[in-house]
Amino acid sequence: MSKVAYNSSMNMKKSVLGKVVVMGLGHYSHGSGVSSAKYLAKKGYQVLVTDLLSKKELQKNVQALSKYENVSFRLGGHRKSDFQNALFVAKNPRVPFYSPYLKGKKVTNDIGLFLESIKNKNIFLIAVTGTRGKSTISTLIYSILKTADFPVHL
């Protein structure tokens, strides 16, 4: 597998906020790699997306992120140098915590980014996890709170 760097823009803008790495873009267009990269790009970070898979294998997701001038790609492998000077790494759930690229780095994920974004905003959050029944339970909680005139979003 060749290690190929790919920039979405030849004149990638320098970010005021600094460099972050999204490790593991993944195939799923609504997955944590894509959502993390979009969120961080919109916030103004210089985002490097890195994945073991090739540009061809991740074509749809690369294309979806290519509109952001502050997003670049390292596809087909990882380089230790890509993680140097990164403020933090947003890790895809499929990337193991014991990855040597994460050693000594501040690591978060899409859920961590979301929780950080709502911190100090007076938002009450109910999270539903598990293998089965999440949609049913979430809808039930939503219906109960809506009926009780709470401002809710599902």
Side-chain angles (χ1 to χ4, degrees), residues 60-77:
K60 286 182 183 179
N61 289 343
V62 169
Q63 187 176 6
L65 293 171
S66 291
K67 69 179 184 179
Y68 299 99
E69 292 182 1
N70 54 331
V71 174
S72 63
F73 302 88
R74 168 85 57 214
L75 304 173

PDB file of all heavy atoms in Angstrom, residues 60-77:
ATOM      1  N   LYS A  60     -15.729   8.836  -1.950  1.00  0.00           N
ATOM      2  CA  LYS A  60     -16.924   9.633  -1.645  1.00  0.00           C
ATOM      3  C   LYS A  60     -16.684  10.567  -0.455  1.00  0.00           C
ATOM      4  O   LYS A  60     -17.070  11.729  -0.480  1.00  0.00           O
ATOM      5  CB  LYS A  60     -18.127   8.734  -1.366  1.00  0.00           C
ATOM      6  CG  LYS A  60     -18.707   8.082  -2.589  1.00  0.00           C
ATOM      7  CD  LYS A  60     -19.911   7.253  -2.238  1.00  0.00           C
ATOM      8  CE  LYS A  60     -20.437   6.537  -3.471  1.00  0.00           C
ATOM      9  NZ  LYS A  60     -21.597   5.688  -3.153  1.00  0.00           N
ATOM     10  N   ASN A  61     -16.052  10.050   0.574  1.00  0.00           N
ATOM     11  CA  ASN A  61     -15.814  10.873   1.761  1.00  0.00           C
ATOM     12  C   ASN A  61     -14.734  11.926   1.517  1.00  0.00           C
ATOM     13  O   ASN A  61     -14.830  13.039   2.027  1.00  0.00           O
ATOM     14  CB  ASN A  61     -15.467  10.000   2.961  1.00  0.00           C
ATOM     15  CG  ASN A  61     -16.677   9.232   3.447  1.00  0.00           C
ATOM     16  OD1 ASN A  61     -17.808   9.564   3.121  1.00  0.00           O
ATOM     17  ND2 ASN A  61     -16.447   8.192   4.212  1.00  0.00           N
ATOM     18  N   VAL A  62     -13.727  11.589   0.727  1.00  0.00           N
ATOM     19  CA  VAL A  62     -12.701  12.572   0.359  1.00  0.00           C
ATOM     20  C   VAL A  62     -13.347  13.699  -0.434  1.00  0.00           C
ATOM     21  O   VAL A  62     -13.103  14.882  -0.189  1.00  0.00           O
ATOM     22  CB  VAL A  62     -11.549  11.914  -0.434  1.00  0.00           C
ATOM     23  CG1 VAL A  62     -10.634  12.959  -1.050  1.00  0.00           C
ATOM     24  CG2 VAL A  62     -10.753  10.973   0.462  1.00  0.00           C
ATOM     25  N   GLN A  63     -14.200  13.336  -1.372  1.00  0.00           N
ATOM     26  CA  GLN A  63     -14.889  14.332  -2.190  1.00  0.00           C
ATOM     27  C   GLN A  63     -15.769  15.249  -1.325  1.00  0.00           C
ATOM     28  O   GLN A  63     -15.792  16.464  -1.513  1.00  0.00           O
ATOM     29  CB  GLN A  63     -15.737  13.641  -3.252  1.00  0.00           C
ATOM     30  CG  GLN A  63     -16.364  14.592  -4.245  1.00  0.00           C
ATOM     31  CD  GLN A  63     -17.110  13.846  -5.345  1.00  0.00           C
ATOM     32  OE1 GLN A  63     -17.267  12.638  -5.325  1.00  0.00           O
ATOM     33  NE2 GLN A  63     -17.592  14.596  -6.322  1.00  0.00           N
ATOM     34  N   ALA A  64     -16.457  14.674  -0.342  1.00  0.00           N
ATOM     35  CA  ALA A  64     -17.326  15.465   0.533  1.00  0.00           C
ATOM     36  C   ALA A  64     -16.531  16.471   1.367  1.00  0.00           C
ATOM     37  O   ALA A  64     -17.033  17.551   1.681  1.00  0.00           O
ATOM     38  CB  ALA A  64     -18.119  14.547   1.458  1.00  0.00           C
ATOM     39  N   LEU A  65     -15.291  16.137   1.696  1.00  0.00           N
ATOM     40  CA  LEU A  65     -14.462  17.023   2.523  1.00  0.00           C
ATOM     41  C   LEU A  65     -13.575  17.950   1.700  1.00  0.00           C
ATOM     42  O   LEU A  65     -12.993  18.888   2.246  1.00  0.00           O
ATOM     43  CB  LEU A  65     -13.595  16.187   3.467  1.00  0.00           C
ATOM     44  CG  LEU A  65     -14.345  15.411   4.544  1.00  0.00           C
ATOM     45  CD1 LEU A  65     -13.404  14.466   5.272  1.00  0.00           C
ATOM     46  CD2 LEU A  65     -15.020  16.360   5.517  1.00  0.00           C
ATOM     47  N   SER A  66     -13.476  17.705   0.421  1.00  0.00           N
ATOM     48  CA  SER A  66     -12.576  18.492  -0.436  1.00  0.00           C
ATOM     49  C   SER A  66     -13.001  19.941  -0.599  1.00  0.00           C
ATOM     50  O   SER A  66     -12.202  20.776  -1.007  1.00  0.00           O
ATOM     51  CB  SER A  66     -12.447  17.836  -1.810  1.00  0.00           C
ATOM     52  OG  SER A  66     -11.742  16.622  -1.686  1.00  0.00           O
ATOM     53  N   LYS A  67     -14.229  20.267  -0.253  1.00  0.00           N
ATOM     54  CA  LYS A  67     -14.681  21.654  -0.377  1.00  0.00           C
ATOM     55  C   LYS A  67     -14.086  22.547   0.714  1.00  0.00           C
ATOM     56  O   LYS A  67     -14.123  23.762   0.607  1.00  0.00           O
ATOM     57  CB  LYS A  67     -16.202  21.733  -0.359  1.00  0.00           C
ATOM     58  CG  LYS A  67     -16.851  21.404   0.973  1.00  0.00           C
ATOM     59  CD  LYS A  67     -18.354  21.532   0.878  1.00  0.00           C
ATOM     60  CE  LYS A  67     -19.020  21.292   2.214  1.00  0.00           C
ATOM     61  NZ  LYS A  67     -20.462  21.450   2.124  1.00  0.00           N
ATOM     62  N   TYR A  68     -13.530  21.945   1.748  1.00  0.00           N
ATOM     63  CA  TYR A  68     -12.933  22.714   2.841  1.00  0.00           C
ATOM     64  C   TYR A  68     -11.461  22.969   2.532  1.00  0.00           C
ATOM     65  O   TYR A  68     -10.673  22.040   2.413  1.00  0.00           O
ATOM     66  CB  TYR A  68     -13.065  21.965   4.168  1.00  0.00           C
ATOM     67  CG  TYR A  68     -14.493  21.725   4.573  1.00  0.00           C
ATOM     68  CD1 TYR A  68     -15.105  20.497   4.342  1.00  0.00           C
ATOM     69  CD2 TYR A  68     -15.241  22.726   5.170  1.00  0.00           C
ATOM     70  CE1 TYR A  68     -16.422  20.270   4.700  1.00  0.00           C
ATOM     71  CE2 TYR A  68     -16.564  22.507   5.537  1.00  0.00           C
ATOM     72  CZ  TYR A  68     -17.139  21.284   5.299  1.00  0.00           C
ATOM     73  OH  TYR A  68     -18.447  21.058   5.659  1.00  0.00           O
ATOM     74  N   GLU A  69     -11.093  24.243   2.431  1.00  0.00           N
ATOM     75  CA  GLU A  69      -9.712  24.600   2.110  1.00  0.00           C
ATOM     76  C   GLU A  69      -8.739  24.251   3.230  1.00  0.00           C
ATOM     77  O   GLU A  69      -7.543  24.145   2.990  1.00  0.00           O
ATOM     78  CB  GLU A  69      -9.615  26.095   1.794  1.00  0.00           C
ATOM     79  CG  GLU A  69     -10.321  26.470   0.510  1.00  0.00           C
ATOM     80  CD  GLU A  69     -10.182  27.948   0.194  1.00  0.00           C
ATOM     81  OE1 GLU A  69      -9.527  28.687   0.952  1.00  0.00           O
ATOM     82  OE2 GLU A  69     -10.743  28.365  -0.826  1.00  0.00           O
ATOM     83  N   ASN A  70      -9.234  24.093   4.433  1.00  0.00           N
ATOM     84  CA  ASN A  70      -8.368  23.802   5.570  1.00  0.00           C
ATOM     85  C   ASN A  70      -8.324  22.312   5.924  1.00  0.00           C
ATOM     86  O   ASN A  70      -7.954  21.942   7.025  1.00  0.00           O
ATOM     87  CB  ASN A  70      -8.786  24.631   6.790  1.00  0.00           C
ATOM     88  CG  ASN A  70     -10.258  24.470   7.143  1.00  0.00           C
ATOM     89  OD1 ASN A  70     -11.099  24.209   6.286  1.00  0.00           O
ATOM     90  ND2 ASN A  70     -10.581  24.644   8.412  1.00  0.00           N
ATOM     91  N   VAL A  71      -8.677  21.460   4.959  1.00  0.00           N
ATOM     92  CA  VAL A  71      -8.602  20.012   5.155  1.00  0.00           C
ATOM     93  C   VAL A  71      -7.624  19.429   4.149  1.00  0.00           C
ATOM     94  O   VAL A  71      -7.691  19.729   2.959  1.00  0.00           O
ATOM     95  CB  VAL A  71      -9.990  19.335   4.982  1.00  0.00           C
ATOM     96  CG1 VAL A  71      -9.866  17.817   5.046  1.00  0.00           C
ATOM     97  CG2 VAL A  71     -10.964  19.835   6.036  1.00  0.00           C
ATOM     98  N   SER A  72      -6.711  18.597   4.660  1.00  0.00           N
ATOM     99  CA  SER A  72      -5.801  17.859   3.784  1.00  0.00           C
ATOM    100  C   SER A  72      -5.865  16.389   4.174  1.00  0.00           C
ATOM    101  O   SER A  72      -6.422  16.034   5.220  1.00  0.00           O
ATOM    102  CB  SER A  72      -4.373  18.406   3.875  1.00  0.00           C
ATOM    103  OG  SER A  72      -3.870  18.248   5.179  1.00  0.00           O
ATOM    104  N   PHE A  73      -5.310  15.540   3.349  1.00  0.00           N
ATOM    105  CA  PHE A  73      -5.435  14.094   3.542  1.00  0.00           C
ATOM    106  C   PHE A  73      -4.074  13.410   3.476  1.00  0.00           C
ATOM    107  O   PHE A  73      -3.226  13.771   2.670  1.00  0.00           O
ATOM    108  CB  PHE A  73      -6.332  13.483   2.451  1.00  0.00           C
ATOM    109  CG  PHE A  73      -7.710  14.068   2.411  1.00  0.00           C
ATOM    110  CD1 PHE A  73      -7.977  15.199   1.656  1.00  0.00           C
ATOM    111  CD2 PHE A  73      -8.728  13.506   3.137  1.00  0.00           C
ATOM    112  CE1 PHE A  73      -9.245  15.755   1.623  1.00  0.00           C
ATOM    113  CE2 PHE A  73     -10.008  14.045   3.109  1.00  0.00           C
ATOM    114  CZ  PHE A  73     -10.262  15.174   2.354  1.00  0.00           C
ATOM    115  N   ARG A  74      -3.912  12.379   4.310  1.00  0.00           N
ATOM    116  CA  ARG A  74      -2.805  11.424   4.226  1.00  0.00           C
ATOM    117  C   ARG A  74      -3.493  10.069   4.170  1.00  0.00           C
ATOM    118  O   ARG A  74      -3.982   9.572   5.177  1.00  0.00           O
ATOM    119  CB  ARG A  74      -1.898  11.516   5.444  1.00  0.00           C
ATOM    120  CG  ARG A  74      -0.919  10.364   5.553  1.00  0.00           C
ATOM    121  CD  ARG A  74       0.350  10.522   4.769  1.00  0.00           C
ATOM    122  NE  ARG A  74       1.020  11.750   5.181  1.00  0.00           N
ATOM    123  CZ  ARG A  74       1.725  12.503   4.341  1.00  0.00           C
ATOM    124  NH1 ARG A  74       1.866  12.139   3.079  1.00  0.00           N
ATOM    125  NH2 ARG A  74       2.305  13.607   4.749  1.00  0.00           N
ATOM    126  N   LEU A  75      -3.556   9.524   2.970  1.00  0.00           N
ATOM    127  CA  LEU A  75      -4.306   8.281   2.770  1.00  0.00           C
ATOM    128  C   LEU A  75      -3.371   7.166   2.314  1.00  0.00           C
ATOM    129  O   LEU A  75      -2.360   7.420   1.675  1.00  0.00           O
ATOM    130  CB  LEU A  75      -5.427   8.514   1.760  1.00  0.00           C
ATOM    131  CG  LEU A  75      -6.393   9.649   2.142  1.00  0.00           C
ATOM    132  CD1 LEU A  75      -7.370   9.922   1.021  1.00  0.00           C
ATOM    133  CD2 LEU A  75      -7.104   9.322   3.436  1.00  0.00           C
ATOM    134  N   GLY A  76      -3.731   5.943   2.660  1.00  0.00           N
ATOM    135  CA  GLY A  76      -2.905   4.804   2.321  1.00  0.00           C
ATOM    136  C   GLY A  76      -1.843   4.520   3.377  1.00  0.00           C
ATOM    137  O   GLY A  76      -0.934   3.741   3.154  1.00  0.00           O
ATOM    138  N   GLY A  77      -1.946   5.147   4.529  1.00  0.00           N
ATOM    139  CA  GLY A  77      -0.996   4.915   5.615  1.00  0.00           C
ATOM    140  C   GLY A  77      -0.904   6.123   6.523  1.00  0.00           C
ATOM    141  O   GLY A  77      -1.456   7.180   6.234  1.00  0.00           O
TER     142      GLY A  77
END
